[in-house]
C-alpha cells in the first residue's frame, strides 16, 4: 500500500452503485473508511453488514469490511484525509445538468476539511464541475487555501477521477480498469493517483480536470452514438425487409467494422444521460451526439408500434377481440442479467402497452420477485416464462437475459414475436 495513506481515513460521500463498492474496495485493503449517505436506511443497512443494491459479491465484501471494523457508515461527515464524492448527477427538464447533489455533498464536507486533505470528485460531471466544486469549498472555508487560488501550495488538493465500471462487473472493473485522473494541479493528480493505487491494478493516467470530465462523457457518448447507429439500422432493415442481425454479423466480418447490437432503446443512468452534458455545454457543435440521443430515445416508441401492428394482425387472422389478446413482455431490466429497472426501455414499453391494452399485458422478469408499482397499478401481471408464453398471442422480447437465451420456448408455438434483441432468430414468425 502507498505510504501516503497508511493509517489514514478515507471518506466516501454517497453510498450508491459506485460509492459503496469503492468504499468496500478500500476497506478490504485494510483502510479505515467512513461512508456518508443522506439516507438513514442505507446507513443502517450498511452498518449491519448488509447491502441495499444488487451487485455480484458486493454483499460478501461489505459484510467482511463492516465486521472487521474497516467500514462504517454515517449521515454526518467526519474528518478524514481523503474525501471521495460519488453522488448522482441527473438532469433536469430540458436536459440541463443537475449539480445540486455535488453542491450539497461539497458543502457537507467543507466544515471538516483541514490542511493537507484531498477531495476527489468521482461523479460523472459536465466540463467545469471540478472547478465549480473547488469554488463551493473555497466559499465555505475562506481560512483554507485551494488550488484555484494557491496552485501547488494549496492546503487542499482537488481532482476529478470518473468511475468507469460496468454494472454487474463493478468489483472486478474497479480493480482492473485504467483510471483517468485529472487534478487541478500536478500535485493534486499525484495525491489522487496515490489514493487509487491502494486497490487499482490498472494504470492511473494523469491529465487535467476538464479533460478527465470530458473523457468520461466521451466514453458514454461514443457508446450511445454506436448503439444509435445499430438502432437506426434496425428500423431501416425492418422497412427494407432485411434481417438486421444477419446484416450486422456479415458487416462485422470486415476487419475494421464493429457494429454494436440494436435493442429496444438505451437505458440505465449513464449512457442515456451523460451525452446530454456535452450537448448542454456545446449545443451547436454536438449535432451527432444530440441526434444519437434522439434516435435511441425514440426506439421504445417504435417497438410499441411494432407490437400494436402484431396485435392488429393477430386479431384479424385469429378472429378474436382486442380484449382477448394476451401480450407478453419478456424482460423489464435495462439490460441483460441484472435486476435494475431504472430508466429501462423495456419497462417503458411494457407500461405503454399496459396503458393501451389494460389487463392484457403479462411481464416475465426472472430477476425480480415483485412488479414495480408503476406496472402493477396498470394491471400488469408477473409470471414465469413458460406459463406466460402458454397464454400468449404476441410476445415482445425486450431483454436478452440468459434465461431467455437458453430456452426458446416459442419453438413450435403460433405466436407473433417482436424480438428486439435478435436472440430467437429461429422463432416461427419474425416481425
Ligand atoms: N445496449 C444496446 N446495444 C449494445 C450495447 C448496449 O442496446 O450493443 C444498451 C443496453 O441494453 C442498455 C444500454 O445500452 O440499455 C446501456 O448498457 P451498457 O452495457 O452499454 O452500459 P451501462 O450503462 O451499464 O454502463 C456504461 C459503461 N460505459 C461504457 O461502456 C462506455 C460503463 O463502463 C460506465 O461506467 C457506466 O456506463 C457509467 O457509470 O457511466
Amino acid at each position: 500500500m502507498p505510504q501516503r495513506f497508511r493509517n489514514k481515513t478515507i471518506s466516501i460521500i454517497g453510498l450508491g452503485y459506485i460509492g459503496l463498492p469503492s468504499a468496500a474496495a478500500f476497506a478490504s485493503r485494510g483502510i479505515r473508511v467512513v461512508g456518508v449517505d443522506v439516507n438513514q436506511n442505507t446507513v443502517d443497512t450498511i452498518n449491519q453488514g448488509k447491502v441495499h443494491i444488487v451487485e455480484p459479491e458486493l454483499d460478501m465484501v461489505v459484510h467482511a469490511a463492516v465486521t472487521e471494523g474497516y467500514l462504517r457508515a454515517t449521515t454526518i461527515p467526519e474528518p478524514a484525509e481523503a474525501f471521495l464524492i460519488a453522488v448522482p448527477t441527473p438532469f433536469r427538464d430540458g436536459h440541463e445538468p443537475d449539480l445540486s447533489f455535488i453542491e450539497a455533498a461539497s458543502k457537507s464536507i467543507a466544515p471538516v476539511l483541514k490542511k493537507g486533505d484531498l477531495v476527489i470528485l468521482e461523479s460523472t460531471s459536465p466540463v467545469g464541475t471540478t472547478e465549480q466544486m473547488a469554488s463551493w469549498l473555497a466559499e465555505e472555508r475562506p481560512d483554507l487555501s485551494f488550488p484555484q487560488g494557491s496552485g501547488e501550495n494549496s492546503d487542499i488538493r482537488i481532482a476529478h477521477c470518473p468511475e468507469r465500471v460496468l454494472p454487474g462487473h463493478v468489483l472486478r472493473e474497479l480493480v482492473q480498469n485504467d483510471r483517468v485522473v485529472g487534478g487541478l494541479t500536478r500535485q493534486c493528480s499525484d495525491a489522487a493517483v496515490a489514493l487509487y493505487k491502494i486497490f487499482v491494478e490498472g494504470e492511473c493516467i494523469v491529465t487535467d480536470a476538464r479533460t478527465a470530465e470530458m473523457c468520461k462523457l466521451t466514453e458514454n457518448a461514443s457508446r450511445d452514438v454506436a448503439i444509435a447507429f445499430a438502432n437506426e439500422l434496425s428500423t431501416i432493415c425492418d422497412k427494407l425487409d432485411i434481417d438486421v442481425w444477419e446484416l450486422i454479423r456479415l458487416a462485422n466480418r470486415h476487419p475494421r467494422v464493429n457494429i454494436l447490437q440494436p435493442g429496444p432503446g438505451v437505458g440505465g443512468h449513464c449512457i442515456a444521460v451523460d451525452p446530454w452534458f456535452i450537448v448542454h455545454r456545446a449545443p451547436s457543435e454536438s449535432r451527432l451526439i444530440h441526434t444519437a440521443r434522439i434516435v435511441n430515445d425514440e426506439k421504445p416508441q417504435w417497438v410499441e408500434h411494432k407490437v400494436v401492428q402484431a396485435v392488429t394482425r393477430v386479431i384479424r387472422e385469429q378472429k378474436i377481440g382486442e380484449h382477448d389478446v394476451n401480450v407478453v413482455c419478456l424482460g423489464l431490466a435495462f439490460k441483460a442479467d441484472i435486476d435494475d429497472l431504472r430508466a429501462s426501455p423495456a419497462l417503458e414499453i411494457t407500461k405503454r402497452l399496459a396503458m393501451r391494452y389494460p389487463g392484457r399485458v403479462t411481464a416475465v422478469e426472472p430477476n425480480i420477485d415483485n412488479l414495480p408499482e408503476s406496472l402493477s397499478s396498470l394491471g400488469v401481471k408477473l409470471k414465469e416464462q413458460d406459463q406466460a408464453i402458454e397464454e400468449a398471442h404476441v410476445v415482445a422480447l425486450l431483454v436478452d437475459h440468459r434465461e431467455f437465451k437458453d430456452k426458446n420456448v416459442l419453438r413450435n408455438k403460433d405466436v407473433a414475436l417482436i424480438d428486439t434483441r435478435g436472440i430467437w432468430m429461429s422463432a416461427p414468425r419474425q416481425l
Side-chain angles (χ1 to χ4, degrees), residues 163-167 216 219-220 223 227 260-261 265-267 270-271 274 334-335 421:
E163 61 80 15
R164 313 160 106 178
V165 289
L166 195 68
K216 169 63 197 246
E219 290 158 15
N220 280 353
R223 195 155 168 85
I227 299 169
L260 293 185
Q261 299 300 301
V266 167
C270 309
I271 296 197
D274 303 351
F334 87 83
K335 64 177 191 175
R421 300 281 184 175

Side-chain angles (χ1 to χ4, degrees), residues 319-365:
K319 299 190 175 32
I320 53 175
E322 184 173 306
H323 300 296
D324 299 319
V325 176
N326 291 326
V327 178
V328 172
C329 294
L330 295 182
L332 295 173
F334 87 83
K335 64 177 191 175
D337 305 327
I338 58 168
D339 69 335
D340 193 347
L341 310 190
R342 296 178 308 161
S344 166
L347 186 73
E348 184 190 335
I349 291 162
T350 309
K351 261 193 228 165
R352 283 168 172 274
L353 292 170
M355 285 191 275
R356 224 176 235 282
Y357 304 114
R360 309 307 320 161
V361 176
T362 300
V364 179
E365 176 44 78

